[in-house]
Amino acid sequence: MTTTTLPGWQSYMADSRFPTMDGSTSTTSIDYNQQGITGTIPTEFGLLTDVTELNLGRNEFTRTIPTQLGQLSKVTFNFRLDSNQLCSTVPTEVQALSSGVTSKWQVTTGN
């Protein structure tokens, strides 16, 4: 597995594994499970309001979980942020999504 260091949002945009940010919010699935990605989770993911699946598990994301992810109200399955190096608690805005996720809600911090 190749480890990719992505220090900022511009680097995410340049990485072919991430969706093109052309102003469209039509992306419905973000699945980058176990890709060796490091850095912070971009707050801009919260702009992708049509997303029904967000799987960023088993990477090396650091810092806090962005509150903007709480805007992903259409996520119904596979909301995974587990097995990263996220600190702090899960933001209330993100935790509120758990009631709508019917399968695979895996959000952990401090690991």
Side-chain angles (χ1 to χ4, degrees), residues 27-93:
T27 299
T28 58
S29 178
I30 299 173
D31 188 351
Y32 300 111
N33 185 51
Q34 205 167 354
Q35 296 295 309
I37 302 168
T38 63
T40 59
I41 298 172
T43 59
E44 289 84 354
F45 277 159
L47 298 173
L48 300 171
T49 55
D50 286 336
V51 167
T52 59
E53 171 187 24
L54 177 70
N55 186 352
L56 301 177
R58 298 181 182 190
N59 284 291
E60 296 180 36
F61 286 111
T62 57
R63 295 198 170 163
T64 60
I65 298 170
T67 58
Q68 292 84 348
L69 296 184
Q71 297 173 26
L72 303 179
S73 60
K74 293 183 181 178
V75 174
T76 55
F77 69 99
N78 212 16
F79 192 101
R80 295 188 58 191
L81 301 176
D82 61 304
S83 300
N84 283 287
Q85 286 126 26
L86 298 167
C87 59
S88 188
T89 59
V90 179
T92 305
E93 297 87 345

